[in-house]
């Protein structure tokens, strides 16, 4: 079989005078997969992404949360640190996710039903699932 190429096997590699040599990256790009539907993979990932529904607290859980909020309202001048688990709505689809954040509480605004954090963010009372704070005397 090698007898067929004996006449050209030892010739130098041809270099074109008209066309510049293609880089290895450009050569590799010729063989990359073609995405006929741009954004399709992103749409599939978005559809598969899970969200949760907001949990509604019962009367006892609401009373415990209100007790903690009232207690923290009295400590607001000391800027207590708390772990707040709250619901964050998803911007792209129905539902959302629960996040627990460690934060410094600046104010508990009972008139507007929001907790204002030291970083100027606010969390609505309705979005709060749980609050853990070392200063709170009753840990149930």
């Amino acid at each position: 079989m090698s007898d067929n190429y004996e006449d050209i096997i030892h010739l130098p590699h041809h270099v074109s005078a008209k066309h510049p040599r293609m880089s290895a990256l450009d050569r590799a790009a010729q063989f990359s997969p073609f995405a006929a539907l741009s954004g399709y993979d992103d749409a599939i990932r978005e559809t598969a992404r899970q969200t949760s529904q907001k949990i509604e607290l019962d009367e006892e859980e609401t009373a415990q949360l209100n007790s903690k909020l009232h207690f923290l309202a009295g400590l607001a001048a000391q800027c207590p640190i708390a772990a707040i688990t709250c619901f964050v709505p998803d911007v792209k689809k129905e539902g959302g996710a629960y996040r627990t954040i460690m934060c410094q509480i600046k104010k508990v605004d009972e008139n507007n039903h929001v907790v204002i954090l030291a970083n100027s963010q606010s969390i609505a009372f309705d979005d709060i699932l749980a609050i853990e704070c070392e200063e709170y005397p009753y840990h149930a």
Side-chain angles (χ1 to χ4, degrees), residues 1 3 15 18 37 42 78 88 106 115 130 132:
M1 179 117 163
D3 295 336
V15 178
K18 291 182 180 180
L37 300 172
D42 293 335
Q78 299 170 15
V88 180
K106 181 177 179 181
V115 175
E132 295 298 323

Side-chain angles (χ1 to χ4, degrees), residues 51-128:
T51 58
S52 301
Q53 295 302 316
K54 193 173 186 180
I55 298 170
E56 297 296 327
L57 300 177
D58 64 25
E59 288 182 27
E60 184 179 325
E61 293 167 327
T62 302
Q64 287 177 350
L65 189 59
N66 286 339
S67 174
K68 288 181 182 181
L69 287 166
H70 185 71
F71 177 78
L72 289 172
L75 290 180
Q78 299 170 15
C79 292
I81 295 176
I84 299 179
T85 302
C86 60
F87 184 77
V88 180
D90 194 293
V91 294
K92 293 186 177 183
K93 59 201 288 189
E94 188 175 326
Y98 278 93
R99 304 274 187 255
T100 300
I101 56 172
M102 289 297 293
C103 54
Q104 194 169 17
I105 297 174
K106 181 177 179 181
K107 179 181 179 183
V108 178
D109 186 344
E110 295 179 288
N111 293 330
N112 294 316
H113 303 283
V114 294
V115 175
I116 301 170
L117 308 179
N119 64 4
S120 299
Q121 289 182 322
S122 63
I123 303 171
F125 287 3
D126 290 342
D127 291 337
I128 298 173

